Amino acid sequence: MRQFFLETDPSHPPRPGDTVTLDRDESHHLFTVLRGGRENQLDLVDGRGLRMTGLPAAKDGKLARIKILSVEKDEQEIREPRLVLACAVVKGKRFEWALEKAVELGAHEIQPLVTDLGVIDPRPGKQERWRGVLIAALKQCGRAWLPELRRPVNLAAALERRPDDPVYCGAAPGDWPAWGESPISWVSLNRPSPSPLPGTLTMLVGPEGGWSPAELELMASVDRLIPVGLGPHILRTETAAVAGMTVLQTLRDRVLTAP
């Protein structure tokens, strides 16, 4: 799929017949990978639900001009409940890998967490780099909606955002006593859909050092938090993020397809 990312103005979205301009990165991709051939019909998305097709029309210096052939809005992808990954920021490219896979697995929102035992305090410049990772993943997997990337916050602030919606937590075996019982297995989530349906389903994933006693105590005090076992072994943060998002995606599918 030749899918390109096009920044659009929500108040003046493109229409068939309009000519738009790709940014420098997308133009470079077109000119170098596809050789800019005008016979190549392109698929474009704007990260706000628009799916467009177009043809290369001209070259404006190093920028590509595209004539829009069709425009449609993808509403199916953002039906509630929407999926939120609240994940501790970890070092190196492991967090970027988790971001990439979260996009592929249908996350609608990503909340980076600064945790008590985490070793990374993300710099402000990371936000733009992370957004680039999300856009690249969006193009690769064929989605039309770019997940909302929120500013890093601590666990308490993340839990306060949606006080009525369920929050699932990937629980490591050593964390289980904090809840007084073993976490439920994800397969046991196959139960009747809640009524009314929640607006969001959130998965919490902790740092490489685990949750602090204070964070575990905070989570244990939240009635709507549901610990979910992701297997008998201790997972890296990015692995737990993938496993947790798979759980949420499965649960969301069951909710949306329930009679």
Side-chain angles (χ1 to χ4, degrees), residues 1 16 23 26 33 35 37 66 78 95 115 118 130-131 150 153 170 222 227 230 233-234 250:
M1 175 184 292
D23 68 18
E26 295 298 276
V33 177
R35 306 298 183 188
I66 307 296
I78 57 165
F95 188 70
T115 55
W130 290 343
R131 186 172 186 272
R150 304 194 67 84
V153 297
V222 178
L230 300 176
H233 309 299
I234 296 174
T250 301

Side-chain angles (χ1 to χ4, degrees), residues 2 4 34 38 40-41 45 47 63-64 76 94 98 115 122 125 135 141 158 168 179 188 193 204 215 235:
R2 299 187 181 106
F4 290 79
L34 301 181
R38 296 195 178 188
N40 291 311
Q41 179 169 307
V45 293
L63 302 180
Q76 181 68 18
R94 290 163 48 196
T115 55
I135 291 174
C141 71
Y168 299 87
W179 284 280
S188 69
S193 302
L204 281 179
E215 288 168 333
L235 305 180

